[in-house]
Amino acid sequence: MPGGTLHSTRIEVSDSLAAIEAYFERGWTDGLPAVPPTEERIWAMLDAMGKGPQDIIGEIPVRARTISGEKLAINAVMAGCLPAYAPVILAVTEALCDPAFSAHGPTASTSGMGVLIIVNGPIASQIGLNARENLFGPGWRANATIGRALRLLLRNVCGATPGVLDRSCFGHPGKFTYCIAEDEAHSPWIPLHAERGIPAGESAVTIFAGESPHQVSN
């Protein structure tokens, strides 16, 4: 386990339900109950990431925000992520902080885009990411919590609070969680990550500022 000390503010509560209410009162959630980020859970997530609490995962210079291992782990735990999801969570955060994505624009725009995460490669099936029926619907922990971890990170660390830096007029449900895997085994097309220059056998994530899904049927 990477060494270091946790520096985030600690709050004392009577039980886990009181902790959940405390997060609501402080505006630390997306409107849904959050998993209490105990030290044990935070360290387990950091260990899975291979990061120390003060390791810098990425920065968003236009907002003067820095994402540390500790802050990322806390928000991943609050979202309900398992340590097994750590490689995807790390890759998503690195993509978010890539200047090519320009995180400030899509997370502050009035257009209400959500950050869509598309996962390719072996990691998707290894952690149980859904790529098939009910793709954007409920029922899969990995999809729901990885997407939610990004949203909580944007809110709690990157300042994307609705009505403050998040100026979305309507938003859409994908701003709660927006994470899918590509069904590579049944697709007639080249996998997305291979199309973008990554070997097909490797795992990868792509993030995209997307509108809500549009259903097409006959």
Side-chain angles (χ1 to χ4, degrees):
M1 179 184 297
T5 303
L6 300 180
H7 294 282
S8 295
T9 302
R10 292 164 172 79
I11 57 174
E12 298 292 332
V13 292
S14 57
D15 56 31
S16 58
L17 290 178
I20 290 169
E21 291 301 324
Y23 307 149
F24 279 124
E25 292 167 6
R26 289 166 171 78
W28 293 344
T29 83
D30 51 9
L32 295 172
V35 175
T38 61
E39 286 198 38
E40 181 181 5
R41 291 190 179 107
I42 295 168
W43 281 114
M45 188 62 70
L46 284 168
D47 188 30
M49 291 179 179
K51 300 292 183 181
Q54 302 310 305
D55 288 348
I56 302 304
I57 310 301
E59 301 180 15
I60 302 180
V62 71
R63 292 191 182 176
R65 302 297 173 106
T66 299
I67 301 171
S68 68
E70 179 175 347
K71 296 302 184 184
L72 179 56
I74 288 172
N75 283 279
V77 169
M78 288 177 65
C81 292
L82 295 174
Y85 307 163
V88 176
I89 297 165
L90 271 174
V92 167
T93 305
E94 291 168 359
L96 177 74
C97 295
D98 190 320
F101 180 67
S102 188
H104 179 69
T107 59
S109 170
T110 58
S111 65
M113 295 171 287
V115 182
L116 173 60
I117 302 164
I118 303 172
V119 182
N120 284 96
I123 191 70
S125 60
Q126 290 169 11
I127 64 173
L129 272 164
N130 180 35
R132 302 197 70 188
E133 289 81 11
N134 200 38
L135 183 60
F136 290 99
W140 286 269
R141 181 175 184 173
N143 297 61
T145 60
I146 292 171
R148 189 186 186 202
L150 175 58
R151 178 52 48 183
L152 290 178
L153 182 73
L154 286 169
R155 180 187 183 97
N156 294 327
V157 181
C158 302
T161 305
V164 183
L165 282 179
D166 181 348
R167 306 302 297 181
S168 170
C169 293
F170 292 101
H172 66 77
K175 293 184 76 172
F176 277 98
T177 179
Y178 215 17
C179 176
I180 62 172
E182 182 177 357
D183 186 11
E184 299 173 26
H186 299 91
S187 173
W189 297 296
I190 297 171
L192 176 62
H193 68 319
E195 194 175 279
R196 302 184 68 232
I198 298 170
E202 293 188 11
S203 297
V205 302
T206 300
I207 64 172
F208 175 78
E211 296 178 345
S212 58
H214 298 270
Q215 299 223 20
V216 179
S217 60
N218 59 27

